[in-house]
Amino acid sequence: EAGVTQFPSHSVIEKGQTVTLRCDPISGHDNLYWYRRVMGKEIKFLLHFVKESKQDESGMPNNRFLAERTGGTYSTLKVQPAELEDSGVYFCASSPGSSYTYNEQFFGPGTRLTVL
Amino acid sequence: GQQLNQSPQSMFIQEGEDVSMNCTSSSIFNTWLWYKQDPGEGPVLLIALYKAGELTSNGRLTAQFGITRKDSFLNISASIPSDVGIYFCAGQLGTSSASKIIFGSGTRLSIRP
């Protein structure tokens, strides 16, 4: 079974440009999460989808970040316009639905975003 | 917001040595988690702890959920080269295991040649 995949693996853009990150969760997983790790610090939660609905978006830093999960399958995270402090590694994770005893979150390899 | 204080930040050890790292928090967590991240990969769950005082092993790894629910440690016995990587402690506040994960800043483990 394929794991969580993310595209692209790396992205280098200039300040003010737009970047869209994509995450394909494990097939059948209802829960999808976005996290990011900035400058070697802790990995921080951004938001959580249950199917196509946003369950928790308390970690989204500001309105330059827009996450979508149309149809409850893959998700995109758009940063527009990008700022220098947005540089970091963006992780996506997915987990099964609430019927499971423990919803382990499986992480993708991450997208390394560099804003120049 | 909630914060996990993880120590040490980095460790250099000899192959075969035992390793210990820990995490403390000002908040009470319902679940404590330990993850490992290899270069170019995402974090992978090593051990999940659900009850205060719980001691759980996974091969050479042993972790405990502190009795106050505010701390946890991870021990690795007889380290080997593939243990190199970044180890993250993490916790979940909510009663649902689908709730967001709060991570520590990580412990980078390196092995001296």
Side-chain angles (χ1 to χ4, degrees):
Chain A
E1 181 182 320
V4 177
T5 57
Q6 294 186 243
F7 183 83
S9 56
H10 293 82
S11 181
V12 181
I13 61 172
E14 293 194 350
K15 176 182 171 182
Q17 289 186 323
T18 298
V19 63
T20 300
L21 314 181
R22 174 172 169 141
C23 168
D24 285 82
I26 293 172
S27 177
H29 279 191
D30 289 341
N31 296 296
L32 187 149
Y33 310 80
W34 284 98
Y35 295 84
R36 74 173 177 178
R37 188 176 190 218
V38 173
M39 291 286 289
K41 295 186 178 178
E42 70 270 25
I43 300 170
K44 281 195 171 180
F45 167 81
L46 296 178
L47 90 160
H48 170 202
F49 284 100
V50 177
K51 298 184 180 178
E52 67 273 13
S53 300
K54 292 176 184 174
Q55 177 77 12
D56 181 357
E57 49 184 327
S58 60
M60 294 288 265
N62 52 61
N63 59 10
R64 294 186 293 104
F65 289 74
L66 175 64
E68 295 180 322
R69 193 184 182 194
T70 307
T73 54
Y74 71 92
S75 174
T76 58
L77 179 65
K78 181 161 71 173
V79 185
Q80 178 183 29
E83 298 288 345
L84 299 178
E85 64 264 24
D86 300 333
S87 296
V89 181
Y90 289 76
F91 291 105
C92 175
S94 73
S95 72
S98 58
S99 59
Y100 287 76
T101 303
Y102 182 71
N103 276 279
E104 178 181 348
Q105 295 182 25
F106 295 88
F107 283 77
T111 293
R112 181 175 294 277
L113 174 65
T114 302
V115 182
L116 303 176
Chain B
Q2 299 86 16
Q3 195 170 0
L4 293 181
N5 300 306
Q6 185 171 352
S7 64
Q9 281 189 320
S10 62
M11 302 181 74
F12 288 84
I13 59 169
Q14 297 276 13
E15 184 176 348
E17 285 184 354
D18 296 342
V19 172
S20 185
M21 57 192 80
N22 64 78
C23 238
T24 59
S25 171
S26 57
S27 301
I28 293 174
F29 287 96
N30 283 315
T31 305
W32 276 89
L33 308 165
W34 284 93
Y35 283 85
K36 183 192 178 199
Q37 184 186 6
D38 290 324
E41 304 290 332
V44 174
L45 182 65
L46 299 174
I47 292 179
L49 302 157
Y50 309 105
K51 297 179 183 177
E54 179 181 358
L55 185 70
T56 297
S57 293
N58 178 7
R60 293 177 297 105
L61 277 59
T62 301
Q64 183 158 32
F65 192 156
I67 197 72
T68 63
R69 308 182 78 90
K70 293 183 178 181
D71 62 293
S72 177
F73 71 75
L74 174 71
N75 289 339
I76 305 173
S77 63
S79 57
I80 60 177
S82 61
D83 291 334
V84 165
I86 303 175
Y87 291 79
F88 293 97
C89 65
Q92 288 177 298
L93 292 168
T95 53
S96 166
S97 59
S99 61
K100 67 183 179 186
I101 294 173
I102 297 166
F103 285 88
S105 54
T107 295
R108 182 179 294 274
L109 182 63
S110 304
I111 293 188
R112 292 192 206 99

